[in-house]
Amino acid sequence: MTPPMVKAEAVHKRFGRLEVLKGVSLEVAAGEVMCLLGPSGSGKSTLLRCINHLEKINSGRLSVDGELVGYRQVGEKLHELREGEVARKRSQIGMVFQHFNLFPHMTALDNVTCAPMRVKNESRDGAEARARELLDQVGLGDKVDAYPSQLSGGQQQRVAIARALAMEPKLMLFDEPTSALDPELVGDVLAAMQQLARDGMTMIVVTHEMGFAREVADTVVFMDAGVVVESGKPADVLSDPRHERTRAFLSKVL
Amino acid sequence: MSSGEAIPEQAGRPEDITAVPVRRPGRWVLAAIVLVVAVAIVRSVVTNPNFQWGVVGEYLFDGRILHGLRVTIELTVIAMGIGILLGVLLAIMRLSPNWLVSSASSFYIWFFRGTPVLVQLLFWYNIAALYPKIGLGIPFGPAFIHADANTLITPFAAAILGLGLNEGAYMAEIVRAGIISVDPGQADAAQSLGMTRLQTMRRIVLPQAMRVIIPPTGNETISMLKTSSLASVIVVTELLYASQLIYSVNFKTIPLLIAASFWYIVCTSVLYVGQYYLERYYGRGARDRGATPLQRIRAGLLSVRHQPSQ
Ligand SMILES: Nc1ncnc2c1ncn2[C@@H]1O[C@H](COP(=O)(O)OP(=O)(O)OP(=O)(O)O)[C@@H](O)[C@H]1O
Ligand SMILES: [Mg+2]
């Protein structure tokens, strides 16, 4: 049996005295799309950042594709990974942020080619050919030379998706990719993500887009106050939640 | 014409306002005083024979003065180069998660900003008294290369060290301010793509920090040009000391100081213009930068030429 792409077991994360994740357990199979819902401050972003090792967890186990995040286990002991190893693992996980975080001093094309050239040492020609292809896929074939400040929010977010895909990740993390966008721009971004899901990408998506969750997700997870309250098929969780907290949350966002 | 007809006619575009401006006699008095004082100063500068303008002109292009000017420029360029490189290094160290590394940087900055640069220059000049021999080798172990401190640390080298190391402390704070002005989301994005901390710094953060770093660095360079005159106390024949050497012989003190000042002002003016264009370059794409003064003058001339004769 292939290991799950992401496996979290009783993951705890503290910022100083504030405990943000209080024992989160979940599994994402390869090729699966998981949507993560929950009120503000429930720890959704923190969980994504832990999976990418942008934050260190304090206890529990977190693994991606069968390998521990940030550590190597030798016997009973955990050894911290060196920076280069952490970076190499991160390069296999794509991340898309709420505020795009495109590099403002680079054109769309350079944003996409930057990591393949610097991290994977790809040739400029190869990286550019692939970047043009990816930008074409997200409908921005004519914007390769534009700087981020010359693009709309929706276009920027699609460049960000192309940038993450250029590293050929095996897992994509989306942190509220559409919540900074004007309503009429949301559709294009969701369409790009839906296409990605159809192509078999494993995805964890933090979102408040219930339509997307219902249509694209294989699993919906509802988090509150640092724990997973309930999870299951979108039809079950979204239409017939078992927990009062889920019901209260859904009645507010729907 | 009755007013009843005039109003509907002019409703589209009301007449320009022509109001009597408030009288501000105070301003006129002040302007008059400024003018009188300015004329008095210029008159005294031109007519006072002690300025000896003829002598100033004689020495402006004197070989020794020009050589001093060259040394001043060399000192400024090399010391600023060291200062900038050191500043970047110290700023990155200061932001390091490693406690020892960041405190080493803090200590350096605290020490070099806490002592006058003149004192530092004198220390380097007299380094032979502290360490007569300077060697390169294993710490606490044998040294491979030995050199006499007096031959290794020439006055020029002492000036470079003193000015450059001191500048590094100031540049470190400037670079650090630039680095922390960059949205942390930029580093998150770069690291999530698999870039290491150093790659992130070099490719993503520093280029964006430049917009904040450049203006104060320009000020530092202008300031360094003038501060380099302190090297005169450790017998480096830079611009000031070169003129001092001349007037110590012929006693034409004032004209020679004026000649030196003239070259300082020329250099700072050149730097000022350079800084302006460098800032424009790093501000590209950020916001509307407007026209340069040259472009404005040119546009002004054109518009005058194209103005329809009235
Ligand atoms: N670097 C940090 N230092 C201290 N506290 C933090 C840090 N990052 C997050 N927190 C805190 O952790 C809690 C969870 O934050 P998180 O961003 O994970 O929530 P979220 O579920 O993503 O919320 P939202 O929907 O508003 O994005 C919040 O109370 C937040 O203030
Ligand atoms: Mg969040």
Side-chain angles (χ1 to χ4, degrees), chain B residues 11-121:
Chain B
R13 187 178 172 279
E15 221 177 299
D16 288 350
I17 294 173
T18 47
V20 180
V22 175
R23 308 229 177 261
R24 294 188 168 88
R27 284 190 191 174
W28 285 103
V29 174
L30 195 65
I33 293 173
V34 168
L35 201 67
V36 168
V37 171
V39 168
I41 290 173
V42 169
R43 206 185 89 99
S44 92
V45 164
V46 172
T47 56
N48 184 341
N50 293 335
F51 277 102
Q52 306 180 56
W53 289 105
V55 183
V56 172
E58 215 174 286
Y59 281 102
L60 213 45
F61 295 96
D62 184 282
R64 290 163 291 178
I65 292 286
L66 290 182
H67 178 263
L69 174 64
R70 213 186 83 195
V71 174
T72 287
I73 292 172
E74 281 171 1
L75 273 178
T76 305
V77 169
I78 301 174
M80 269 320 282
I82 292 175
I84 289 170
L85 287 180
L86 205 59
V88 171
L89 186 74
L90 285 165
I92 292 175
M93 282 173 66
R94 180 107 194 247
L95 295 167
S96 159
N98 185 320
W99 170 86
L100 198 63
V101 171
S102 78
S103 348
S105 167
S106 302
F107 177 83
Y108 182 101
I109 294 167
W110 169 78
F111 182 82
F112 279 90
R113 288 205 310 185
T115 50
V117 65
L118 182 54
V119 174
Q120 290 174 34
L121 283 172

Side-chain angles (χ1 to χ4, degrees), chain A residues 162-180:
Chain A
R163 177 177 71 176
L165 291 177
M167 293 300 285
E168 300 177 313
K170 52 190 180 188
L171 168 66
M172 285 283 286
L173 310 173
F174 292 86
D175 192 359
E176 304 199 34
T178 57
S179 35

